[in-house]
Amino acid sequence: MPGLSFLSKKSWHTSNISNQEKVWIAEQKAAAEDLKLKELTQQIKLEREQEELQKITGQKSSSTGDRGVDWMYEGHKKGEGDEERQKVE
């Protein structure tokens, strides 16, 4: 239909380049989110397996299974902020 060629110039049309770009960006974000979610689930699965092995071998003394606040300090290096604290004091 030659009389309807102006529709491709409308902001809501699917063949509009800016709309295609928005869709592509949204797809990339969704793919990145899925990848991040898979990595997090893999990490959680690994941590649970390690906790189960520690529970079986008796290395962990906590019988309740409550981790408390230990998880907050697992990645913390011992001398990381010590110099800054001494400068402030």
Side-chain angles (χ1 to χ4, degrees):
M1 300 185 145
L4 298 177
S5 62
F6 69 93
L7 289 177
S8 64
K9 297 178 183 173
K10 296 291 184 179
S11 63
W12 45 263
H13 199 271
T14 57
S15 68
N16 191 350
I17 296 295
S18 64
N19 288 339
Q20 290 177 355
E21 182 181 8
K22 289 177 187 176
V23 169
W24 182 79
I25 290 172
E27 289 173 349
Q28 295 298 315
K29 285 183 181 179
E33 186 70 26
D34 288 341
L35 181 63
K36 185 177 179 181
L37 183 63
K38 286 180 183 179
E39 289 175 355
L40 287 175
T41 55
Q42 182 69 21
Q43 181 182 1
I44 290 171
K45 183 180 176 183
L46 181 64
E47 288 176 357
R48 286 182 181 167
E49 289 175 359
Q50 289 176 348
E51 287 177 359
E52 184 68 27
L53 288 174
Q54 287 177 350
K55 188 185 284 186
I56 290 172
T57 59
Q59 291 178 354
K60 201 150 193 176
S61 62
S62 115
S63 60
T64 61
D66 186 22
R67 291 178 56 190
V69 293
D70 293 339
W71 59 272
M72 291 193 299
Y73 303 105
E74 284 179 353
H76 180 67
K77 295 180 182 175
K78 195 165 195 171
E80 191 171 291
D82 293 338
E83 292 179 16
E84 295 175 14
R85 288 187 200 128
Q86 289 177 358
K87 288 180 184 177
V88 172
E89 292 174 356

